[in-house]
Amino acid sequence: MTEFCQFVLIGLVTGSLYALIALGYTMVYGIIELINFAHGDLFMLGSFLALQLVITIGVAATPGSAPAPPAPSTGAAVLAIGLMLVAAPVFCAALNAVVDRAVYKPVRAAPKLAAIVSAIGVSFIFMNMGLFWFGPVDLNFPSLVPNTNLLDGTDLRFTYKDLMVVVVTIPAMVLLTFFVRYTTLGKAMRAAAQDPTAARLMGIDVDRVISATFAIGGALAGVASVVYGLYFNTVGYQMGFQNGVYAFTAAVLGGIGNIPGAVLGGIVIGLVRALGSKYAGEEWSEALIFAILIIILLFRPTGILGARTREKV
Amino acid sequence: MTPRGVLGHWPWAALVVFCAVPFIPGTQAAIYGQQFLPLFIYAVLALGLNAVVGYTGLFHLGIAAFFGIGAYVTGILTVPQFPFQQSFLVAVIFSALAAAAVGVLTTAPTLRLRGDYLALVTMGFGLIAVFVIRNLENITAGTKGLNPVSPHLLPGIDDPNLGALRVRPGWGATWRAYPYFYYLSLVVLVLTYLFLGWVERSRLGRAWVALREDELAAACMGLSPARLKLSAIALGAGLAGLAGALYAVSQRTTAGPQAYDFNRSMTAICCVILGGLGNRPGVLLGVFLLIGYDQVLTPILDNEFQKDWYQQLFPEHMRGKQYLKVSGWRLVIFGAALIIMMRFRPEGLLPEARRKLELEAGDGDGEIR
Amino acid sequence: MPRTGSARGQTDTIFNGIKMAIEEYGGQIAGMKIVYLDWDDADASSQSWTSELEKANATKAIADPDVVAYIGPYNSGAAKVSMPLLNEEGLLQVSPAVTHTGLTKKVPGGDPTEPGVYRPSGKVTFGRVCPADDTQGPLAADFAKDELKAKTVFVMDDKELYGQGVAGLFERRCKELGLDILGHESINVKQNEFGALMTTVKGKNPDVVYFGGTTQSKGGQIAKDMKNVGLTCPLVVPDGCYELAFITSAGEENLKNCYVTMGGIDPSKLTGSGAEFVKKYKEKFGNDPEAYAVYGYEAAKVVLEAIKKVGKKDRAEILKTTLATKDFDKGALGKWGFDENGDTTLQNMTISKVEGGKFKPVKIVDRK
């Protein structure tokens, strides 16, 4: 039983990380019905910026040069984490908003396929940028959060690292929900999502609202990228695809466009991955995720929490 | 015929050129001539995908799975580890049928999904297929791939020794060697192309387009959406399986599961979209441009660019770096091509006439669902 | 060889080794110009070798009558693609780094069709200058028992030809030695983290964890996730991780308790002509050679010596002469030759730890 609880715990922690990335998908989809294929790669670039930052301030070594610097003091580590948590979201938000203006806005009137294909194109370009930035090798991300067990004495393991994920992701999700529900911009977003034309008639600058959505989605990806780096301690230019697929799956599983749904979807994926590795074997755990996705969609074609929309004729 | 009409027949001009390539004298021609082979195989795959995405409008992101099924069925039927030892002809037929069957079986339950959900399910299917290939080691040999895939051409007949026909250096002695397999693949491509042309004009092809344009209206006219979608998938998957069989024989191995991952589906989709959804010459053009760039031009340029005259144009510390190679820019070029196309010519380089009219009329209803 | 992607650091140095060998002959033997063409078998999107490109390289080499030898590839999986093609045409292939055992000889309990399937012409056309995994895997098991005092081991692999092969050989030897195998799991290399898997491993409490895989198949992440879940036993990995990129990706602080094995001898421990080679390499390229540089040099050297002996552009003659090489001592590795399977007669292995951002050999084993 303890063992089962341990795996549930792992699943919950990694799942909330996937959920954080999934939120960016879901928000953008909710408003312009675009599957933003580039989101995972944006997340990757965010983590690269964070890594670049810790290298610049001397907390981590330049890749390839040896030996590694001594472990930073607690103060330096806290400072570095704080810096990253500001810089990466800002960078990702700005980049995402710029891409929206430059790439997606001009094709907004065209069929939906045009935007999706453009997103695939952006994803390719981001990936290539990552490749030029740090090269093809996986990189070590410094372990700034201690790895001590908080539940010492029990058979469970819950470290500061796990705590960090929870402490960052849950407030981020709560804030986002409040933001979308109660602020003016949040209301404008929902209005634009429901009916862009009507929203425009009501005096909402829909393009600005869409840009803001991209920026917020990007900022969430930035936060997620820092937490991811600190938690798993590896970043590489290819990590965007895998995490993007998980996050996208999470968003669809929960009902794409639905914020609580994305969180739920992320957690389901984390749990399936952890428990699948334990009980079905590591090599099948990922196939299991997609199998469950397909099964759920067969019975609830719009996801777990997705609204059943009637088709427009 | 108008000049435009003449240009419209460029695929046939290309065919003549491709037929002539093995006869070009010089060793370099033989070395580079066989690099065209992947183009033909990809073209069959992309034409199959086009039947699903282009004609019928089902955004399928897992076509590589059918390609893989074709390759592995061919592998299983021909490698020495298994007792079948079938000829190429038998293997190809079974590959196409198996892929089509899997296509129908996996699509049938998902028919009520729409748009992005369908895209996701097909992507999930494609990813699962890779895991299945990877993990069923007793059948697929895991990541090792089944090899050697070197079947006889026809059942019950020994392969002729074609060494006597060698008129140019670089020609092989068996039917699996260049240029015989090259011609065989080219013939398969031409037949596929002609067959799809016939399908396009048939009742079925027109029904698919009707379904793509407006499913509800098509259903009201008495067409069965379910049956139409399944027939499109069967055709597309079958062609992908056929391409997979050619691929396995051309590689002499089924390669590993990574050869059938999301990347290949994506590349095929890009070819179809870039060239022109629903239009056969467009799809061919897309394949020739993208795959030709990727698999023919890039290695040639990279080979040239690693030489000193080029590397010495740059300061010492930059030499040998990724960004001095053409292949280093591959994703940027692909990405930029897609974005620019979508911005200025969303209907593709050679659009289908019907789709073009729609887009020019500014009517957004012809979208893929 | 993959000249794109993360194996690049290693292949660069092999390339340099080959270049040095060619330069020693002034790029010319018996009036023939020797040119080495660098053909990449990896593409940018997958960042590892692809069977398409490896096949294209092999067919290009076959079609070009000026090519008399094919040096490569780097990956065992790629060798499976190019070997039958080159074999059919009787073109000599010498690999500096391919270690999968089944390519040259039967493995007990392995695939029964090996190595015959790679030799459609029935003749041996492939040679390698590095010891195969049947040296490395079993010796690593001996090391785990004798030096690490292990009684229980957990085995993992990356499901690739090379990783699975070497992990299987390790496991087999462990059983012979009476070590307890607590489990054997394969990872999916596309996965980014293995927290759940390592927790499972931790629950079994092994004395040693063995991972049969490479840097590219997440060797570094395994080391980190072990640490993250609080698993403190030693990790042993094979020579697929014997490259600086492994340290870069794992982070030195996570490799305190990690042993890397390598078939052959680490450059820093070479003596005589080997030490000479390392010195020259450092002078020329300004950095330490990676583990396989010397094998690149050796592979080129043995081929070039054969070409010199034959003295003309004759594929069949060069093939015969090269693979008949016995007691070869013109290279950097000491005296060795090819056996009847095309394997090197050298049978030694280095076990290293990571210190100061570099591999530091702790033990050299010779199997006689």
Side-chain angles (χ1 to χ4, degrees):
Chain A
M1 196 56 210
T2 340
E3 208 174 29
F4 180 78
C5 293
Q6 177 68 66
F7 282 92
V8 168
L9 209 54
I10 296 175
L12 287 175
V13 172
T14 45
S16 48
L17 202 47
Y18 295 135
L20 200 55
I21 316 174
L23 286 174
Y25 270 105
T26 252
M27 287 188 66
V28 167
Y29 189 89
I31 200 157
I32 51 172
E33 298 203 340
L34 163 69
I35 302 174
N36 188 2
F37 273 101
H39 194 73
D41 300 290
L42 181 77
F43 160 82
M44 176 272 293
L45 287 180
S47 70
F48 273 28
L49 182 91
L51 180 62
Q52 185 72 63
L53 203 69
V54 284
I55 290 172
T56 316
I57 63 173
V59 175
T62 318
S65 81
S73 64
T74 318
V78 169
L79 180 76
I81 295 172
L83 261 178
M84 286 191 289
L85 278 176
V86 173
V90 167
F91 169 73
C92 289
L95 189 59
N96 218 14
V98 167
V99 167
D100 169 52
R101 275 294 150 108
V103 178
Y104 304 132
K105 188 166 171 262
V107 295
R108 212 158 275 159
K112 214 163 84 187
L113 187 67
I116 294 181
V117 175
S118 302
I120 295 172
V122 173
S123 140
F124 284 170
I125 292 180
F126 279 181
M127 221 202 257
N128 218 147
M129 279 165 64
L131 194 57
F132 285 160
W133 195 339
F134 276 124
V137 189
D138 277 352
L139 300 154
N140 185 38
F141 199 98
S143 186
L144 297 175
V145 180
N147 201 19
T148 22
N149 193 358
L150 290 168
L151 299 178
D152 233 0
T154 65
D155 283 341
L156 289 178
R157 187 176 168 84
F158 187 82
T159 64
Y160 280 108
K161 276 188 183 177
D162 298 305
L163 184 68
M164 165 198 69
V165 175
V166 177
V167 165
V168 176
T169 52
I170 291 182
M173 293 170 199
V174 172
L175 267 179
L176 185 72
T177 314
F178 272 95
F179 173 81
V180 171
R181 203 153 284 171
Y182 300 112
T183 61
T184 321
L185 185 57
K187 285 177 185 162
M189 275 177 190
R190 283 187 290 146
Q194 239 169 32
D195 190 335
T197 323
R200 200 169 275 127
L201 291 174
M202 295 293 131
I204 295 173
D205 184 347
V206 174
D207 278 329
R208 208 176 61 86
V209 169
I210 293 174
S211 283
T213 312
F214 269 94
I216 294 170
L220 287 167
V223 174
S225 72
V226 174
V227 176
Y228 180 95
L230 290 170
Y231 188 68
F232 292 124
N233 303 110
T234 303
V235 295
Y237 87 101
Q238 272 179 323
M239 71 190 226
F241 176 71
Q242 186 73 18
N243 290 297
V245 167
Y246 277 176
F248 175 38
T249 310
V252 176
L253 202 57
I256 195 161
N258 182 316
I259 290 176
V263 176
L264 183 66
I267 286 174
V268 168
I269 286 183
L271 287 174
V272 172
R273 164 98 176 93
L275 295 172
S277 166
K278 171 70 184 158
Y279 298 105
E282 172 75 16
E283 50 190 359
W284 287 105
S285 73
E286 199 182 338
L288 208 59
I289 291 176
F290 298 110
I292 286 181
L293 169 84
I294 292 177
I295 292 166
I296 289 187
L297 285 188
L298 291 184
F299 292 103
R300 281 200 65 99
T302 49
I304 303 173
L305 298 182
R308 285 168 186 266
T309 45
R310 249 189 304 147
E311 213 175 309
K312 285 178 245 172
V313 180
Chain B
M1 216 182 263
T2 59
R4 207 184 156 77
V6 174
L7 269 180
H9 291 284
W10 71 267
W12 303 110
L15 176 64
V16 172
V17 172
F18 282 128
C19 282
V21 162
F23 289 95
I24 298 171
T27 52
Q28 294 299 314
I31 294 172
Y32 291 109
Q34 43 193 321
Q35 311 303 328
F36 290 124
L37 180 57
L39 289 186
F40 309 151
I41 296 174
Y42 249 110
V44 175
L45 173 67
L47 284 171
L49 179 64
N50 184 41
V52 181
V53 183
Y55 299 158
T56 323
L58 302 168
F59 199 43
H60 202 293
L61 289 178
I63 197 75
F66 303 119
F67 188 67
I69 289 166
Y72 270 91
V73 169
T74 300
I76 289 164
L77 288 177
T78 57
V79 289
Q81 288 96 308
F82 294 106
F84 308 112
Q85 310 291 333
Q86 292 300 322
S87 65
F88 173 69
L89 185 69
V90 176
V92 160
I93 293 170
F94 273 96
S95 297
L97 290 179
V102 174
V104 170
L105 288 178
T106 54
T107 313
T110 62
L111 281 178
R112 66 184 187 132
L113 293 179
R114 282 297 172 81
D116 304 324
Y117 290 96
L118 181 75
L120 184 75
V121 165
T122 54
M123 183 173 105
F125 163 68
L127 292 167
I128 291 177
V130 173
F131 286 106
V132 171
I133 294 176
R134 181 189 232 340
N135 292 344
L136 292 183
E137 283 170 90
N138 290 335
I139 303 171
T140 61
T143 54
K144 302 183 193 80
L146 291 167
N147 64 338
V149 180
S150 39
H152 290 300
L153 179 58
L154 297 169
I157 303 173
D158 275 346
D159 288 338
N161 187 343
L162 300 168
L165 295 177
R166 190 187 291 233
V167 299
R168 292 273 179 259
W171 284 32
T174 69
W175 71 273
R176 293 181 299 273
Y178 179 79
Y180 310 107
F181 195 71
Y182 171 99
Y183 280 125
L184 180 72
S185 303
L186 192 57
V187 167
V188 172
L189 173 60
V190 171
L191 291 179
T192 308
Y193 184 83
L194 293 174
F195 172 68
L196 285 173
W198 173 75
V199 172
E200 249 177 43
R201 289 184 295 274
S202 74
R203 202 181 148 78
L204 183 65
R206 284 176 286 140
W208 282 340
V209 175
L211 191 71
R212 177 186 80 203
E213 296 304 319
D214 193 331
E215 184 167 335
L216 203 63
C220 292
M221 303 304 258
L223 296 172
S224 157
R227 203 174 297 163
L228 286 172
K229 284 181 186 173
L230 287 181
S231 58
I233 278 284
L235 179 66
L239 286 175
L242 172 66
L246 291 175
Y247 177 78
V249 176
S250 81
Q251 294 286 313
R252 308 258 175 111
T253 158
T254 57
Q258 74 281 358
Y260 311 103
D261 62 5
F262 189 63
N263 259 333
R264 191 175 298 270
S265 299
M266 217 63 225
T267 314
I269 284 261
C270 289
C271 290
V272 172
I273 289 172
L274 198 71
L277 268 176
N279 190 29
R280 290 170 303 140
V283 172
L284 287 188
L285 185 66
V287 170
F288 292 160
L289 286 181
L290 273 189
I291 310 299
Y293 165 76
D294 197 33
Q295 303 220 337
V296 183
L297 192 62
T298 306
I300 295 176
L301 289 177
D302 270 354
N303 204 11
E304 195 55 37
F305 284 175
Q306 67 175 324
K307 293 189 180 150
D308 284 346
W309 68 263
Y310 175 76
Q311 295 292 333
Q312 269 154 18
L313 297 177
F314 300 94
E316 186 81 36
H317 67 273
M318 286 170 68
R319 282 180 207 158
K321 288 276 163 47
Q322 289 267 350
Y323 47 77
L324 291 190
K325 292 172 91 178
V326 181
S327 56
W329 290 89
R330 175 181 191 264
L331 290 170
V332 168
I333 291 169
F334 271 40
L338 289 177
I339 293 171
I340 293 167
M341 280 295 296
M342 288 303 116
R343 174 80 179 81
F344 297 105
R345 215 178 151 87
E347 68 275 23
L349 289 171
L350 293 178
E352 186 193 10
R354 196 163 5 198
R355 192 179 289 267
K356 195 170 165 215
L357 278 177
E358 252 166 45
L359 282 160
E360 280 173 0
D363 174 5
D365 274 353
E367 67 191 51
I368 295 275
R369 274 196 294 261
Chain C
M1 282 189 262
R3 309 278 300 137
T4 316
S6 59
R8 175 156 183 157
Q10 186 73 264
T11 54
D12 261 348
T13 149
I14 296 177
F15 173 64
N16 287 342
I18 297 172
K19 232 167 41 185
M20 274 174 70
I22 293 175
E23 276 167 21
E24 274 175 26
Y25 292 88
Q28 218 165 4
I29 291 172
M32 289 180 297
K33 204 166 161 239
I34 304 288
V35 186
Y36 169 75
L37 296 168
D38 183 12
W39 285 342
D40 196 344
D41 70 2
D43 76 15
S45 67
S46 57
Q47 292 295 320
S48 65
W49 70 275
T50 67
S51 91
E52 266 111 330
L53 291 170
E54 178 68 22
K55 188 220 163 199
N57 287 347
T59 49
K60 262 196 262 179
I62 291 165
D64 190 338
D66 291 335
V67 173
V68 294
Y70 186 91
I71 297 182
Y74 176 71
N75 300 77
S76 299
K80 287 188 80 157
V81 177
S82 52
M83 270 176 77
L85 293 165
L86 296 167
N87 182 278
E88 216 164 64
E89 297 294 326
L91 181 58
L92 170 68
Q93 180 178 20
V94 179
S95 170
V98 163
T99 56
H100 175 65
T101 316
L103 295 171
T104 52
K105 55 193 161 206
K106 283 218 178 331
V107 191
D111 188 338
T113 60
E114 283 181 335
V117 291
Y118 309 123
R119 294 173 183 154
S121 70
K123 281 182 294 222
V124 178
T125 57
F126 173 85
R128 55 178 154 200
V129 296
C130 55
D133 292 338
D134 61 345
T135 309
Q136 196 186 154
L139 285 180
D142 291 344
F143 176 76
K145 179 167 185 261
D146 300 340
E147 303 282 323
L148 302 175
K149 309 287 176 220
K151 293 200 176 51
T152 55
V153 292
F154 194 97
V155 185
M156 287 183 290
D157 68 57
D158 61 0
K159 247 183 150 56
E160 306 273 331
L161 182 65
Y162 160 80
Q164 209 171 17
V166 69
L169 289 161
F170 175 84
E171 186 177 337
R172 216 182 152 74
R173 179 70 184 160
C174 282
K175 280 188 188 142
E176 282 171 23
L177 293 172
L179 297 180
D180 207 0
I181 310 283
L182 296 176
H184 189 143
E185 284 272 4
S186 298
I187 62 158
N188 166 23
V189 299
K190 290 265 161 72
Q191 204 59 255
N192 291 312
E193 46 81 26
F194 306 100
L197 174 63
M198 296 323 288
T199 305
T200 311
V201 176
K202 193 185 163 214
K204 306 219 160 152
N205 199 17
D207 294 337
V208 164
V209 173
Y210 187 83
F211 173 64
T214 64
T215 314
Q216 292 76 43
S217 58
K218 304 282 166 122
Q221 191 61 33
I222 297 273
K224 270 184 262 197
D225 283 332
M226 273 178 74
K227 205 177 162 202
N228 276 347
V229 303
L231 187 60
T232 48
C233 70
L235 170 71
V236 180
V237 292
D239 66 345
C241 299
Y242 204 95
E243 50 180 345
L244 289 176
F246 177 63
I247 304 179
T248 310
S249 72
E252 198 196 326
E253 67 273 19
N254 301 315
L255 295 175
K256 291 274 184 303
N257 208 7
C258 175
Y259 295 88
V260 189
T261 67
M262 178 212 167
I265 296 175
D266 185 84
S268 67
K269 289 280 172 193
L270 288 170
T271 50
S273 55
E276 188 83 351
F277 166 78
V278 174
K279 208 177 108 211
K280 268 197 274 180
Y281 185 100
K282 265 193 207 161
E283 271 167 24
K284 193 165 161 62
F285 301 105
N287 50 11
D288 285 332
E290 287 222 33
Y292 277 110
V294 61
Y295 290 98
Y297 175 78
E298 199 76 13
K301 198 83 188 195
V302 71
V303 171
L304 293 171
E305 273 301 313
I307 296 174
K308 196 165 144 193
K309 242 184 247 165
V310 174
K312 58 179 189 289
K313 201 159 72 186
D314 182 338
R315 281 186 185 181
E317 271 302 305
I318 290 171
L319 169 70
K320 218 169 78 196
T321 317
T322 308
L323 291 179
T325 305
K326 295 275 180 283
D327 295 332
F328 182 74
D329 56 3
K330 301 242 167 57
L333 290 174
K335 231 176 200 180
W336 63 277
F338 287 115
D339 66 10
E340 72 281 6
N341 295 319
D343 271 324
T344 170
T345 48
L346 286 179
Q347 295 278 301
N348 41 24
M349 181 186 81
T350 314
I351 297 160
S352 306
K353 289 197 80 161
V354 176
E355 251 171 56
K358 276 186 191 152
F359 290 103
K360 194 156 187 269
V362 289
K363 194 165 189 282
I364 291 175
V365 202
D366 205 337
R367 187 174 77 170
K368 287 285 180 232

